[in-house]
């Protein structure tokens, strides 16, 4: 199979806007592929490991060069990563807009599957989607489950911790300004990757002070989205047994003193 054919397969029946970041970043799509690396973030460590593994193609969710469209940044780090990409000889394809445009959202699907929770999506909102759970769960219980199932070192909780919730919003990754989602009366608990603390987190803290059932779980970007990409890798393995697929995990970007 050529890289072009795999790209056509994973993007089939999904329509994204003209200005999409989901483009080939490097390599010849006519290349025959035997080893495909899948990852959340093409970090320098990940690229080095993929090169050592012999990847013919790399499918990544987030950008290589620290800006959404992967435009060139003149910096020493960017130049070193460009050298890694060139040395790999692999076809690099960004897979971000397509999985988020798909219904259901592929990243949400991996997140929910990894947690093992029973939720039903109700609507799309600013920054993510709303879900209703069949089983009430407190923010503390959700955080502990995420740390166990998603292998997140520390989930930060804002607001109410011990009030059962059934109305959730999942705004995974970097969802931008989710304030209008957080303030909704039909949203009790919001799970995010990254968030603006002075605006969103402080609103939730004040809401809980006034006795409202409102909580915010900050999971970290990698912790909130990687299971979606890992799930896709597993599915591709089953669909194309003649190709070797391998998921390359990214550790959390932070180092914690209790983990040193």
């Amino acid at each position: 199979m050529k890289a072009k054919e795999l790209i056509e397969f994973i993007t089939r029946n999904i329509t994204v806007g003209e200005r999409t970041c989901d483009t080939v970043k490097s390599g010849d799509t006519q290349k025959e592929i035997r080893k495909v690396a899948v990852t959340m973030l093409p970090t320098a460590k990940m690229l080095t490991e993929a090169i050592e593994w012999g990847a013919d193609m790399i499918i990544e969710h987030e950008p290589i060069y620290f800006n959404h469209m992967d435009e060139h940044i003149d910096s020493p780090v960017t130049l070193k990563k460009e050298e890694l990409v060139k040395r790999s000889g692999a076809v690099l394809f960004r897979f971000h807009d397509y999985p988020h445009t798909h219904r259901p959202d592929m990243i949400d699907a991996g997140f929910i599957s990894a947690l093992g929770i029973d939720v039903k999506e109700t609507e799309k909102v600013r920054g993510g989607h709303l879900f209703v759970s069949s089983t009430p769960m407190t923010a503390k219980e959700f955080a502990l489950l995420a740390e166990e199932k998603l292998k997140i070192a520390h989930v930060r909780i804002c607001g109410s911790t011990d009030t059962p919730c059934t109305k959730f919003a999942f705004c995974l990754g970097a969802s931008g300004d989710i304030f209008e989602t957080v303030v909704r009366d039909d949203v009790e608990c919001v799970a995010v990757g990254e968030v603006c603390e002075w605006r969103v987190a402080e609103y939730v803290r004040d809401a809980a002070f006034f006795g409202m059932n409102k909580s915010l779980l900050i999971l970290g970007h990698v912790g909130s989205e990687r299971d979606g990409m890992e799930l896709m890798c597993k599915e591709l393995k089953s669909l194309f047994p003649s190709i070797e697929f391998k998921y390359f995990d990214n550790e959390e970007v932070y180092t914690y003193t209790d983990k040193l």
Side-chain angles (χ1 to χ4, degrees), residues 41-53:
L41 282 153
T43 63
K45 181 174 183 256
M46 180 271 155
L47 290 170
T48 301
E49 290 173 349
I51 290 170
E52 292 172 353
W53 181 62

Side-chain angles (χ1 to χ4, degrees), residues 43 88 147 174 243:
T43 63
S88 75
E147 289 177 350
I243 299 174

Side-chain angles (χ1 to χ4, degrees), residues 9 102 106 109-110 113 228-241 245:
F9 178 83
H102 185 272
M106 295 181 187
S113 175
M229 291 301 288
E230 187 169 9
L231 179 61
M232 186 195 77
C233 184
K234 290 176 182 175
E235 291 175 347
L236 289 175
K237 278 183 181 179
S238 64
L239 290 168
F240 300 101
F245 290 89

Side-chain angles (χ1 to χ4, degrees), residues 164-180:
C165 304
T166 57
K167 301 170 184 175
F168 294 88
F170 297 159
C171 302
L172 310 182
S175 299
D177 187 356
I178 61 170
F179 190 80
E180 67 180 54

